[in-house]
Amino acid sequence: MSVTGATSEAASDRILSIDVVRGFAVLGILLMNIVGMGLPTYAYINPVYAGGVTDADFWTWAVNNVLTDGKMRALFTMLFGASTVLIASRADTSAGLGPTQTHYRRLFWMFAIGMVHAYLFWFGDILVTYAVAGALVFPFRRLNPHLLIGLGGAILGALFAWHISDIEPLKALMAAAMAPGADETTRAAWAGASQTFVMPPGFDAQEIAGFGGGFGEALQARARIASLLQVLIPFDAGPEAVGQMLIGMGLFRLGFFSLGWPTRAYGMLILFGYACAVPFTAMLAWLMHQSGFEPLRVHEMEVWQSLTRPFIALAHASVLLLIVRAGLFESLVSRLEAAGRMAFTNYLMTSVITSLVFCGYGLGLYGHLSRLQLLWVVAGVWALILLWSRPWLARFRYGPLEWIWRSLVQWKRQPFRRAQTA
């Protein structure tokens, strides 16, 4: 199996290493999304709200908090930035749509599909965020790659500074709101300021009733959360995605994702990520635990954890890239590559499957599984993705939703089935 790119007829313009890392990321994202899919929303923010904070459930949270929470999303987002440059460069040399038309048509349909996804299947959809952020970063794709990385890092740094500067005022407001005799205005101000990390009374019961009911009840419950999250996109998820996409664009231009770096450089990223960023993140997780998962303390530590996410994400990617370079685990790498080539389909399919597992119009398991038990659902979905992606691509040029997306962008039906060989 070649580690430099093409594997077959429809993949002749693919870069294998990028698809492998993308396949890994789309699997890894489910480790955190599953919490919001199967437990009340605030369990994703703080384990004390649902899913357990003792024994195996605590360790499930801790390992995910240190190694995957935000890191898989960061990796997926950087890969989107890399793909933006790659697709634009190919459109530059094709006889079809130019790079600008191709990019913004892709984003238009991504936004439309993302909205359907958010309200019908998974309120934590990332596609709408990517469409908004992708529209902003595209004009910068030709900047010097070091400048792209620096600009992306500056945006992430500014976002961190903004959040960390809020901590002391939040502490003062909380103290005032919790003080005996606090007036309703102060209490209301605290309730509004803390809504992203403190669960409102009865919110979990509403969600359990909604997602445990029929399709209509689940739709209403999902719409309420999706609309709240989409209001926050311009202030939090959006800038983070912009920063990570710019870094991904710069890294792609420097050859990081296409095995253009020397092994020593990948090794240095792995060393820094696992020997420095992981222990620092683990210390912050320990401080959350020591506080009894007090919501404001958890929020403060998660703000600090945002500093290490890109480095741990890139350490994960570097390990995979070195595995590809060395030609190790070829069967698994091949399946990850296929999963990555079908990442759009696999990401959306995961939401459809989990909605049927958890909602009342399916198996009705919402709110009934612990964090550890949720991993069985993750394992089942992973197995399905890894088992079906490669056989599908042996018969078809693209994943089903990739083909629909491509056809919509080109506004004509694209070739789908592979040519049969004698």
Side-chain angles (χ1 to χ4, degrees), residues 322-362:
L322 290 183
I323 287 173
V324 173
R325 170 173 283 173
L328 301 174
F329 310 113
E330 289 196 0
S331 179
L332 177 60
V333 166
S334 175
R335 292 190 180 278
L336 285 173
E337 179 210 9
R341 285 175 56 196
M342 293 175 53
F344 193 58
T345 293
N346 286 325
Y347 173 69
L348 294 171
M349 180 191 72
T350 295
S351 300
V352 174
I353 292 171
T354 52
S355 71
L356 293 173
V357 169
F358 294 116
C359 292
Y361 51 82

Side-chain angles (χ1 to χ4, degrees), residues 75-96:
L75 185 54
F76 207 49
T77 309
M78 285 188 271
L79 286 164
F80 187 88
S83 296
T84 296
V85 177
L86 181 61
I87 292 169
S89 66
R90 289 173 181 164
D92 262 329
T93 59
S94 72

Side-chain angles (χ1 to χ4, degrees), residues 170-215:
L170 282 171
K171 288 179 180 178
L173 181 58
M174 181 180 72
M178 300 299 175
D183 58 68
E184 287 302 316
T185 301
T186 303
R187 291 180 179 178
W190 166 245
S194 65
Q195 65 176 332
T196 58
F197 56 89
V198 176
M199 183 173 68
F203 193 87
D204 54 343
Q206 291 178 8
E207 287 189 297
I208 290 171
F211 288 114
F215 185 82

